[in-house]
Amino acid sequence: MTSNGTGTHGAVLPDTAPDRNGPIVELRGAGKSYGNIRALHGVDLEVHPSQVTCVLGDNGAGKSTLIKIISGLHQHTEGDVLVDGEPVRFTTPREALDKGIATVYQDLATVPLMPVWRNFFLGSEMTKGPWPIRRLDIARMKETADQELRNMGIVLDDLEQPIGTLSGGQRQCVAIARAVYFGARVLILDEPTAALGVKQSGVVLKYIAAARDRGLGVIFITHNPHHAYMVGDHFSVLRLGTLELSAARSEITLEELTNHMAGGAELAALKHELAQVRGVDVEELPEAEDLTAPVATSPSSEGTS
Amino acid sequence: MSMAQQAEPAVGTPPAPGRKETDGRTAERPLVLRLLARPEVGVFLGAVAVLVFFLIAAPAVRQGGSMATVLYQSSTIGIMALPVALLMIGGEFDLSSGVAVITSALTASMLSYQLTMNVWAGVIVALIVSLAIGAFNGWMVVRTGLPSFLVTLGTFLILQGVNLAVTKLITGNVATDDISNMDGFDQARKIFASSFDVGGVQVKITVVWWLVFAAIATWVLLRTKYGNWIFAVGGNKDSARAVGVPVNFTKITLFMTVGFGAWFVGMHQLFSFNTVQSGEGVGQELIYIAAAVIGGCLLTGGYGSAIGPVFGAFMFGMVNQGIVYAGWNPDWFKAFLGVMLLGAVLINLWVQRTATRR
């Protein structure tokens, strides 16, 4: 584990890829308990630059807890979280941001009544002039926002329009472009396609690919295996707070992933019971022994580059 | 290295778009609609309507002196309506602002008189007290997460009681002693409560301060980082925090700005009337809030302007004095206010729906 820790801790990092080969973010047996409730336990996860790591799981599987640990909203209570090979414990989202870990939340990514360009720079505004009359550099901010959005393939007529007037997919894209611009090395996307239609989802997936091609490590949280399989390099399925599956793209097919994700193992066990119920079609459900995808019994078996 | 059998992800990079292409889906909205969507345009039209109405209905209003009185009346409301509006855009409100004005004036007056000090000492201490009240309000709101309505209702009751009780305790009376013979009084009066001559009409200096503060507030709101934060903490506190906006700092300093406004208006009252009635100020806070709402600020935060409340306060002053000049029963004033307030709220609602329409 080489750890030539880079000094890039500012809010705005240069767009260069980090010069080390290991994962940017790594979780080793990480877990989190709220009082006596164990929300997450023994999770291993690696995030590499230029790769999309998909985290799948049903409601209550622990996806949100996982994001909150990595993004600094909550602290882990067991295991280790490593950034650039060094153990960290974030206490605020700002600390995670300073390490280049940006999170795009499903709903709290933007302020609806504020113009697009103000949202883009919110919290990291560009200013000019000496202190008593230090003011926003509006022209430069608008130009930069426009340029960055275009680089991600988003074209907006009017950056003055309130961001609430954009569609859900466009808002996600603005949030992604913002994270990319502010030097994120790791982008956490919390169910970006959950509330979107088919076409909108496609647009968001395109920007996930664009972010990956710019050298970012992407953590893509979703419960849609089809979306995950379209862009993912590595898939982790959470169930009841533990890792049920951890597989590289080469080791798994979409069908296996879908089965795991849809609770395939459990459904298969229920198959014979369900067959008794009229109106439930079990023909397409796999038998339990057909599920041969590697299960997370041998963590980090995959040597990725 | 298992790169060889690694299947390529299906989705590629989007093609780089041309430099100045538009998405072509948003049609330019008519100028009138775009103008009406600005927070201050509705109230501007309202203010003009009220002015024209009284120019016709009350011939006395047409004289310069009457106009100066209207502006003076507006300025005493307007100076407080500005910080109250900023606070409202920041998503909070302050019910203690009316009695805080009196608290500030009482502090300055009694401190200078009882200790026989230069009035400036009292003025400075009053400023510190006012800022501290604001900081307390803000700190309580951000620490407890309680609605600011409850927290400042508490402060309102506390200050109302303290104002009366402490004044009676110290002076044995409900009003403070006349401080017009104290050192520094004339100097302070020049700043807070003097008049100047414009073409034969005496104009109060508070009108100038009102416009200066409005200009500063507008600049801060639209052209500085802090202004951006005000909109953000009022619009969506959690989003703002998640992108690194210091939410607590912004809210506490907004409450302290209201404290500053209360101090300024308190000093004006003290130096124009020489004494302070300790029971006053109750109900004023609602006038300030109403002026801000009429001025286009959204009660729930995140939207508004600093120039809107200027027109809002002007409408108040105009109606208040206009009714007198028209020779009507002044009891109608409150009824007028109610109508204006409801009208403003309806316009706000419509604006918000238009602005966020998908």
Side-chain angles (χ1 to χ4, degrees):
Chain A
M1 193 58 52
T2 53
S3 60
N4 43 344
T6 49
T8 46
H9 289 181
V12 179
L13 304 177
D15 263 353
T16 52
D19 52 342
R20 54 189 297 285
N21 270 331
I24 312 172
V25 172
E26 188 180 0
L27 269 62
R28 286 188 198 154
K32 164 85 186 170
S33 305
Y34 299 95
N36 58 355
I37 299 165
R38 207 159 63 171
L40 204 64
H41 172 63
V43 171
D44 298 303
L45 191 76
E46 288 185 3
V47 183
H48 294 269
S50 298
Q51 284 206 6
V52 179
T53 303
C54 297
V55 177
L56 298 102
D58 210 346
N59 294 341
K63 294 180 308 230
S64 315
T65 310
L66 183 69
I67 317 167
K68 283 174 181 164
I69 290 173
I70 305 177
S71 65
L73 278 168
H74 289 335
Q75 285 83 50
H76 51 287
T77 50
E78 57 179 87
D80 289 309
V81 175
L82 296 94
V83 174
D84 298 327
E86 286 175 27
V88 292
R89 180 175 286 271
F90 298 128
T91 50
T92 64
R94 188 81 244 175
E95 283 175 39
L97 277 173
D98 289 346
K99 289 267 189 192
I101 300 170
T103 311
V104 176
Y105 296 95
Q106 193 183 336
D107 45 358
L108 46 86
T110 52
V111 182
L113 282 170
M114 290 176 79
V116 174
W117 66 270
R118 281 186 190 264
N119 263 294
F120 192 95
F121 282 96
L122 187 58
S124 314
E125 294 87 353
M126 289 178 172
T127 52
K128 61 180 178 187
W131 174 69
I133 51 159
R134 184 175 299 157
R135 56 207 181 274
L136 297 176
D137 195 343
I138 293 177
R140 200 153 63 95
M141 282 200 282
K142 277 188 185 170
E143 198 177 305
T144 312
D146 190 49
Q147 192 56 50
E148 286 299 314
L149 289 172
R150 279 170 196 275
N151 285 347
M152 292 291 289
I154 309 163
V155 182
L156 294 176
D157 287 340
D158 180 13
L159 291 175
E160 281 289 354
Q161 61 185 313
I163 204 160
T165 60
L166 300 186
S167 70
Q170 281 176 314
R171 257 184 292 172
Q172 285 285 349
C173 298
V174 172
I176 294 172
R178 174 171 70 183
V180 171
Y181 173 71
F182 285 108
R185 294 184 298 150
V186 174
L187 193 58
I188 307 171
L189 300 166
D190 181 9
E191 308 217 1
T193 58
L196 303 181
V198 177
K199 201 168 174 215
Q200 292 278 335
S201 300
V203 173
V204 171
L205 291 175
K206 227 163 57 171
Y207 300 131
I208 293 176
R212 176 200 63 204
D213 292 348
R214 289 181 72 164
L216 279 83
V218 180
I219 304 177
F220 178 21
I221 318 267
T222 179
H223 53 227
N224 187 328
H226 299 276
H227 291 166
Y229 205 75
M230 282 170 90
V231 291
D233 296 294
H234 192 97
F235 305 94
S236 299
V237 177
L238 287 172
R239 172 171 305 281
L240 299 175
T242 55
L243 212 50
E244 184 185 271
L245 168 102
S246 175
R249 185 180 189 80
S250 57
E251 299 169 340
I252 194 168
T253 65
L254 174 58
E255 201 183 346
E256 286 164 339
L257 186 65
T258 311
N259 281 334
H260 267 281
M261 181 45 217
E266 282 168 23
L267 279 179
L270 281 172
K271 182 174 178 179
H272 299 290
E273 262 177 70
L274 287 171
Q276 311 293 320
V277 185
R278 221 150 54 92
V280 177
D281 184 9
V282 294
E283 281 304 302
E284 296 299 314
L285 285 179
E287 294 289 346
E289 53 267 27
D290 292 345
L291 294 167
T292 53
V295 177
T297 42
S298 56
S300 67
S301 60
E302 174 70 0
T304 41
S305 59
Chain B
M1 287 295 140
S2 56
M3 285 300 280
Q5 73 250 37
Q6 189 106 351
E8 276 307 307
V11 177
T13 323
R19 181 65 190 90
K20 269 304 165 203
E21 140 197 6
T22 60
D23 72 353
R25 280 177 300 181
T26 47
E28 189 88 331
R29 283 195 297 164
L31 183 69
V32 180
L33 263 183
R34 273 185 293 151
L35 268 182
L36 277 176
R38 306 249 349 122
E40 59 274 357
V41 171
V43 68
F44 172 72
L45 296 178
V48 169
V50 169
L51 176 64
V52 169
F53 175 79
F54 279 108
L55 281 177
I56 295 165
V61 173
R62 293 169 210 166
Q63 290 157 16
S66 315
M67 217 56 228
T69 312
V70 167
L71 284 177
Y72 168 58
Q73 178 88 28
S74 310
S75 71
T76 54
I77 297 169
I79 289 174
M80 266 311 269
L82 283 170
V84 167
L86 293 187
L87 181 68
M88 194 178 290
I89 297 170
E92 306 289 345
F93 55 141
D94 187 350
L95 293 178
S96 68
S97 54
V99 286
V101 168
I102 305 302
T103 307
S104 196
L106 288 172
T107 308
S109 165
M110 289 193 290
L111 196 87
S112 328
Y113 189 84
Q114 300 300 330
L115 302 179
T116 345
M117 286 194 295
N118 189 301
V119 293
W120 281 105
V123 169
I124 303 284
V125 173
L127 175 62
I128 294 167
V129 168
S130 290
L131 291 178
I133 293 170
F136 173 79
N137 278 337
W139 184 78
M140 282 291 279
V141 167
V142 300
R143 285 300 294 188
T144 61
L146 286 169
S148 48
F149 185 94
L150 285 181
V151 171
T152 57
L153 183 63
T155 326
F156 163 72
L157 293 171
I158 294 170
L159 290 181
Q160 198 187 341
V162 166
N163 282 355
L164 281 166
V166 172
T167 310
K168 269 191 189 159
L169 200 69
I170 291 179
T171 65
N173 201 333
V174 290
T176 60
D177 301 283
D178 192 325
I179 60 161
S180 56
N181 297 321
M182 313 268 311
D183 289 341
F185 182 87
D186 293 330
Q187 208 180 12
R189 176 171 221 162
K190 262 206 180 63
I191 289 178
F192 293 110
S194 61
S195 306
F196 60 94
D197 190 280
V198 178
V201 177
Q202 288 292 304
V203 180
K204 288 276 189 181
I205 195 156
T206 49
V207 177
V208 176
W209 283 119
W210 176 37
L211 299 178
V212 168
F213 288 151
I216 294 173
T218 300
W219 184 76
V220 166
L221 200 56
L222 296 179
R223 289 286 179 271
T224 69
K225 230 182 209 191
Y226 185 71
N228 223 21
W229 295 349
I230 295 175
F231 280 113
V233 299
N236 191 336
K237 195 172 61 171
D238 298 321
S239 292
R241 182 171 284 130
V243 296
V245 172
V247 174
N248 291 355
F249 167 83
T250 308
K251 293 216 170 191
I252 292 175
T253 45
L254 280 173
F255 274 104
M256 290 174 76
T257 313
V258 176
F260 175 84
W263 168 76
F264 197 91
V265 175
M267 291 309 104
H268 166 69
Q269 294 198 357
L270 175 61
F271 291 108
S272 54
F273 305 120
N274 308 341
T275 79
V276 190
Q277 295 290 331
S278 60
E280 280 186 356
V282 180
Q284 284 299 110
E285 66 282 343
L286 296 179
I287 305 267
Y288 304 143
I289 290 172
V293 172
I294 289 174
C297 298
L298 206 58
L299 198 64
T300 45
Y303 188 78
S305 73
I307 204 75
V310 170
F311 295 122
F314 174 77
M315 275 169 89
F316 266 60
M318 188 67 244
V319 173
N320 200 349
Q321 295 300 316
I323 287 174
V324 175
Y325 287 126
W328 300 342
N329 186 339
D331 297 342
W332 284 105
F333 173 57
K334 286 280 159 66
F336 253 98
L337 289 193
V339 172
M340 274 162 36
L341 191 63
L342 278 180
V345 172
L346 289 177
I347 291 175
N348 277 0
L349 192 70
W350 175 77
V351 162
Q352 200 196 2
R353 293 221 176 118
T354 316
T356 56
R357 186 173 294 152
R358 298 269 167 92

